[in-house]
Amino acid sequence: MRRYALLGGRVEGSLSPAIHKQIWQQLGAEATYELWSVRVDAFEAALERARHELAGFNLTAPFKVQALTHLDDSTARAQLLSSVNTVRVEQGALIGH
């Protein structure tokens, strides 16, 4: 089963897990979407954990800007905007979009 998550400081009220669950059920996909509450001082450790445990993840502020320097690669648009919303994990590499 593929795992995805929202990484952020205040994620408890997010509707993302319910929305993703409904979509994946309709598509017949086997995946989960989790909420990872992350402190600023634990962000780098959360990225390393995500690298090994997730297929991808979304970020909330303030991590959208902070993440850019910790990724293995990112799109030209992410670099232009100096911000990342979505990260794909591909063979252990973190790729920002």
Side-chain angles (χ1 to χ4, degrees):
M1 180 172 298
R2 296 175 65 89
R3 293 174 59 203
Y4 298 88
L6 173 64
L7 279 64
R10 295 183 184 167
V11 296
E12 298 81 20
S14 174
L15 298 176
S16 292
I19 293 167
H20 283 83
K21 180 179 180 178
Q22 185 174 20
I23 292 168
W24 287 327
Q25 283 178 340
Q26 290 174 357
L27 296 173
E30 292 189 23
T32 62
Y33 194 92
E34 305 166 14
L35 299 177
W36 288 17
S37 184
V38 178
R39 294 185 327 269
V40 172
D41 64 341
F43 181 61
E44 288 183 44
L47 286 180
E48 284 308 305
R49 178 180 165 208
R51 178 187 303 274
H52 300 287
E53 296 182 20
L54 299 176
F57 54 93
N58 296 104
L59 298 165
T60 66
F63 302 128
K64 291 175 182 275
V65 174
Q66 185 179 354
L68 205 54
T69 60
H70 299 285
L71 301 176
D72 299 300
D73 198 5
S74 58
T75 63
R77 182 169 293 221
Q79 292 172 17
L80 177 68
L81 297 173
S82 298
S83 180
V84 174
N85 182 64
T86 303
V87 178
R88 188 176 80 242
V89 181
E90 191 172 297
Q91 297 178 346
L94 301 178
I95 303 166
H97 298 270

